Amino acid sequence: MTTAQTGATEYDARIRRAESLSTEHAFAAEFLNFYKHVAAFQKTLRANIAASSGVKLHDALAAELRSPLDLTVLLPHFRGFLSVIEQHAPAALAKAANQMSLLPSDSWIASLEAYWQHAGKYDQQVGAFAQFVPRAFLQPYAEFRAALTPKPPVVMTMRVCPLCASRPLLGVLRVEGDSGKRFLLCSFCSQEWEFRRIHCPTCGEEAEGKLPVYVAEQLPHIRVEACDTCKFYLTGVDLTKDGHAIPLVDDLAAVPLSLWAHEHGYSRLQPNLLGT
Ligand SMILES: [Zn+2]
Ligand SMILES: [Zn+2]
């Protein structure tokens, strides 16, 4: 097993980042502390997936990212995941996890398979809260499959993920030469692909005057990248301003920015794991 398959270093970095952000930003501490428990579970699950998939690696490589779930690997971990949520989630989510734990495994399978087929593509109506359980549970599996999938050639205006056809969760600016290069991060398999700097990933608007950017004082490296044509926004994490940021985690701390965006009539293209 390689580290790319187990993802252990990535998960450790996410957990450490959640720890440091939660001490700096009290307004996001509850979410981030809960997220730490989720990420710790995901790390173990990902290692288990990698270990049990060793013999099937050849098949996995030939398969599409969204080809059917291997339930024999996943299901034995599902009850343990629900108890992590019950113990550490905010009250409403803990209750939902408890209710789900009482259902027969057929319902678990139906919920996991529905998420696996449609997530990131047609789920704007579903609501992040309803989606939390299958999404957090299957994220390591999607990331594992993505790590095995060869990257297609770069096309600068792909508005959906080149690997799994999901919508982007975030924009990411990475240091490149004197300035930064923009990438989009997939809401389903967490892979990044390169994207143009001045271009709305929802409607294709390219006029700079129609694409306002908002930055909050508390989090100068996170930006709302809005579009006045379609009224959607993307949260952008600017690694040229903070090289320690982990986009997936820093986004969970960006509460003041989502409030600002909603007050100004912008909707988020894809909600994050915690629905903020
Ligand atoms: Zn993807
Ligand atoms: Zn737009």
Side-chain angles (χ1 to χ4, degrees):
M1 261 189 293
T2 65
T3 26
Q5 284 161 24
T6 65
T9 33
E10 273 166 66
Y11 282 105
D12 287 339
R14 290 176 192 175
I15 293 165
R16 276 198 308 273
R17 184 65 180 168
E19 265 160 18
S20 76
L21 284 174
S22 66
T23 52
E24 281 166 46
H25 303 294
F27 54 81
E30 190 196 2
F31 271 166
L32 288 166
N33 285 325
F34 167 52
Y35 172 75
K36 270 194 313 191
H37 294 284
V38 173
F41 174 88
Q42 289 179 324
K43 179 187 170 185
T44 311
L45 179 59
R46 170 83 178 258
N48 275 295
I49 294 167
S52 5
S53 304
V55 279
K56 299 175 200 153
L57 223 49
H58 183 75
D59 297 346
L61 276 172
E64 293 282 309
L65 199 138
R66 287 190 202 245
S67 57
L69 292 170
D70 190 343
L71 292 166
T72 53
V73 172
L74 292 167
L75 274 189
H77 301 281
F78 194 65
R79 188 174 291 283
F81 175 66
L82 292 176
S83 28
V84 170
I85 308 306
E86 273 185 73
Q87 285 166 44
H88 302 287
L93 192 54
K95 195 172 162 214
N98 173 263
Q99 283 165 348
M100 193 149 194
S101 73
L102 305 173
L103 297 174
S105 59
D106 285 1
S107 326
W108 298 352
I109 294 170
S111 154
L112 295 174
E113 287 184 335
Y115 174 81
W116 190 251
Q117 277 167 33
H118 303 299
K121 299 197 281 189
Y122 321 106
D123 52 355
Q124 266 155 326
Q125 314 301 327
V126 179
F129 183 76
Q131 224 183 42
F132 175 84
V133 168
R135 184 178 186 182
F137 183 72
L138 292 176
Q139 193 174 43
Y141 195 69
E143 290 179 1
F144 172 73
R145 284 260 177 104
L148 297 177
T149 309
K151 299 236 159 145
V154 179
V155 182
M156 294 285 274
T157 44
M158 290 281 291
R159 289 188 211 159
V160 294
C161 172
L163 292 185
C164 72
S166 298
R167 295 193 174 99
L169 174 70
L170 293 171
V172 180
L173 276 175
R174 291 186 177 277
V175 182
E176 178 93 18
D178 297 340
S179 54
K181 204 176 230 184
R182 188 188 193 200
F183 296 82
L184 299 182
L185 187 141
C186 176
S187 60
F188 183 76
C189 73
S190 314
Q191 300 298 297
E192 291 180 13
W193 69 98
E194 201 178 331
F195 199 73
R196 288 156 61 182
R197 276 294 278 269
I198 313 291
H199 194 102
C200 169
T202 309
C203 72
E205 180 61 73
E206 293 178 300
E208 207 164 349
K210 295 266 175 78
L211 301 168
V213 168
Y214 170 78
V215 179
E217 216 176 291
Q218 304 100 311
L219 298 153
H221 68 295
I222 308 186
R223 17 192 281 154
V224 168
E225 298 167 355
C227 174
D228 282 333
T229 304
C230 66
K231 290 286 177 187
F232 278 99
Y233 79 96
L234 204 64
T235 303
V237 180
D238 188 344
L239 295 171
T240 69
K241 292 200 175 137
D242 185 347
H244 298 293
I246 308 278
L248 212 56
V249 183
D250 285 56
D251 172 43
L252 301 175
V255 184
L257 290 154
S258 4
L259 292 175
W260 180 89
H262 291 294
E263 276 165 18
H264 288 77
Y266 299 112
S267 309
R268 185 164 183 163
L269 185 57
Q270 283 291 109
N272 65 26
L273 196 58
L274 302 176
T276 54

